[in-house]
Amino acid sequence: MRYYILKNVLRQMRFVLLLILIATTGCKKKNDDNTGQSKGLKVYYSDFFPVGASVGSSNLTGDESILLIKEFNSITAENAMKPGPIHPSENNYYWTDADKIVDFAVANGMKIRGHTLCWHSQTAAWMFLDATGGTVTKDVLLQRLKDHIKTVVSRYKGKVYAWDVVNEAIDDDNSKIYRESSWYNICGEEYIAKAFQWAHEADPDALLFYNDYNTESASKRDKIYNMLKKLLDAGIPVHGIGLQGHWSIYWPSETDILSSISKFSSLGIKVQITELDVSVYSSSANFSVRTPGDDTFTSDMEQKQINFYKAIFRDFRTNKNVINGVTFWNISDRHSWLDNFPVANRKNYPLLFDKDLKPKKAYWEVVNF
Ligand code: XIL
């Protein structure tokens, strides 16, 4: 009898011990070091993909630079490599800011994404004009594009590992395919294939991306897919698609994001999230729906953003075989381009670090897996 009691007690003790063990080890989230100190996104994601941020040269000193070095292992120039800033007039390239960013990345062992070689926006007017102020011919414009791409890509050859070759060439309007930009209006769709060919000639080792936003809208997704398929079938060197990832706590759904990842990767190309931020406003929300001056980060926004970030990073990890980079657009909520877009002077809170550069709750959900 006594033996049975003892046996039972021992069995229960074993059970309790097991519970304690699970509570202290098994259930303990892998990346929670209990110190409240982050190890760095790049460390938590070292088995998955590089994690980057977009920067300007002013972010390369002071506390932001310390955060950059600790958290990220990839960098994109937020503006400095775009056609307008880097090639302000025909015979003049402005390298200073882009060089600073490249030097910073090289000095700190970070990868560099090049953004962007051909875009309808932030391109200086001279590109499309002849000496008399009229529109240039297709031949002249293609020659200028070729010169631009060869010059910029060659300068950073071996340092920039991936280029957004063409940015935002597809229209949002369902009734149109290509965006009717000056590039398209003067050259037709041909400029897209040419841009990839010239970038490839200038640096055969660079990964070449087509980059766009709203890639989770079903109709835009299909249009981009068709364009990429056509380019790939024609043997054009396209190696990946950049989903910009300018998302919000309301859009898109996880299903939409997963559909894009799976549809684009079915073409045999890589997928990167190139400009990730999660706005706390819906796209239709404007300042007038809130009390002017009231742009606080509410607990409802915070919770929705936590859920959103947690879900998408889980999906990115699950798809690590096709996702080979995730880049945030800006570093922290101290400054985001969304503070002024699409509504001027409306503060947004789209990133994983707060304005004091401290990890937000969403950060911990992203790294504790
Ligand atoms: C934005 C920059 O963040 C801003 O500083 C600039 O004023 C406008 O461009 N899609 C892109 C990026 O591909 O280049 C844009 O960057 C954001 C949307």
Side-chain angles (χ1 to χ4, degrees):
M1 178 67 178
R2 223 188 267 154
Y3 169 76
Y4 283 113
I5 293 174
L6 191 66
K7 205 173 156 196
N8 257 336
V9 168
L10 280 175
R11 190 177 290 155
Q12 279 176 13
M13 271 176 65
R14 241 174 34 200
F15 181 65
V16 171
L17 274 175
L18 191 69
L19 279 180
I20 293 172
L21 199 71
I22 290 173
T24 54
T25 59
C27 282
K28 183 172 166 305
K29 289 182 171 169
K30 182 181 155 221
N31 291 318
D32 187 350
D33 62 5
N34 284 331
T35 62
Q37 294 290 311
S38 60
K39 291 186 203 150
L41 289 164
K42 65 180 181 188
V43 178
Y44 300 120
Y45 277 86
S46 59
D47 290 339
F48 295 90
F49 35 72
V51 185
S54 75
V55 300
S57 51
S58 66
N59 303 125
L60 306 179
T61 52
D63 54 358
E64 288 181 312
S65 73
I66 295 167
L67 187 81
L68 277 172
I69 294 166
K70 178 181 177 195
E71 297 285 341
F72 301 97
N73 51 4
S74 178
I75 256 185
T76 305
E78 182 180 5
N79 290 297
M81 289 189 189
K82 290 172 178 172
I86 212 165
H87 198 174
S89 57
E90 185 159 17
N91 299 312
N92 171 31
Y93 285 86
Y94 175 75
W95 302 113
T96 311
D97 288 346
D99 281 359
K100 271 190 204 158
I101 293 168
V102 169
D103 291 348
F104 176 86
V106 170
N108 292 293
M110 299 162 119
K111 286 175 165 290
I112 307 160
R113 295 194 84 258
H115 176 83
T116 174
L117 297 170
C118 180
W119 192 20
H120 68 92
S121 182
Q122 287 186 273
T123 301
W126 70 265
M127 183 73 87
F128 307 107
L129 299 175
D130 65 18
T132 64
T135 304
V136 278
T137 62
K138 176 174 173 176
D139 284 350
V140 170
L141 186 56
L142 287 178
Q143 186 59 47
R144 285 180 179 175
L145 180 63
K146 181 176 182 179
D147 292 344
H148 174 80
I149 289 177
K150 295 246 165 165
T151 307
V152 176
V153 174
S154 302
R155 183 174 185 91
Y156 300 119
K157 187 174 175 177
K159 293 182 176 166
V160 167
Y161 85 104
W163 275 103
D164 291 330
V165 177
V166 176
N167 198 31
E168 304 179 350
I170 295 292
D171 208 287
D172 289 300
D173 185 335
N174 286 347
S175 66
K176 296 177 180 165
I177 299 178
Y178 292 100
R179 180 188 293 275
E180 288 165 9
S181 64
S182 298
W183 293 109
Y184 183 78
N185 290 338
I186 299 170
C187 305
E189 62 184 274
E190 196 184 327
Y191 80 91
I192 300 170
K194 292 282 187 212
F196 279 94
Q197 277 169 335
W198 291 324
H200 188 61
E201 283 167 22
D203 185 354
D205 294 327
L207 296 177
L208 305 183
F209 283 75
Y210 173 73
N211 195 51
D212 213 330
Y213 63 94
N214 280 355
T215 44
E216 294 64 48
S217 127
S219 70
K220 197 165 175 187
R221 180 198 292 132
D222 288 348
K223 289 189 284 185
I224 295 172
Y225 174 91
N226 292 338
M227 176 191 73
L228 292 173
K229 181 153 187 355
K230 197 165 158 186
L231 290 168
L232 292 163
D233 287 347
I236 304 300
V238 181
H239 309 117
I241 169 134
L243 314 181
Q244 288 187 3
H246 291 299
W247 294 327
S248 83
I249 54 176
Y250 302 103
W251 182 90
S253 70
E254 242 184 299
T255 316
D256 292 334
I257 295 172
L258 288 168
S259 300
S260 291
I261 294 171
S262 118
K263 179 146 192 166
F264 293 126
S265 62
S266 75
L267 289 165
I269 57 174
K270 293 292 182 191
V271 177
Q272 292 207 1
I273 318 302
T274 52
E275 305 184 16
L276 181 59
D277 44 26
V278 180
S279 167
V280 297
Y281 306 104
S282 73
S283 61
S284 56
N286 61 51
F287 212 30
S288 62
V289 301
R290 307 182 76 187
T291 314
D294 172 18
D295 52 6
T296 47
F297 185 43
T298 67
S299 51
D300 180 53
M301 290 170 177
E302 181 180 47
Q303 193 52 54
K304 287 191 168 75
Q305 192 181 54
I306 289 171
N307 298 344
F308 193 97
Y309 266 121
K310 183 180 174 143
I312 59 172
F313 271 84
R314 184 182 57 225
D315 295 335
F316 298 163
R317 290 192 302 273
T318 312
N319 284 284
K320 72 170 189 174
N321 56 327
V322 292
I323 293 183
N324 66 350
V326 174
T327 297
F328 289 86
W329 208 244
N330 299 124
I331 306 167
S332 76
D333 290 350
R334 181 181 291 177
H335 162 75
S336 155
W337 75 297
L338 296 176
D339 292 339
N340 280 304
F341 181 85
V343 177
N345 297 319
R346 180 183 63 179
K347 181 72 193 142
N348 211 321
Y349 304 88
L351 297 156
L352 288 183
F353 300 93
D354 68 16
K355 61 179 175 35
D356 299 319
L357 311 188
K358 297 275 174 294
K360 290 160 66 178
K361 286 183 193 159
Y363 177 99
W364 296 109
E365 294 299 330
V366 163
V367 302
N368 281 327
F369 54 85

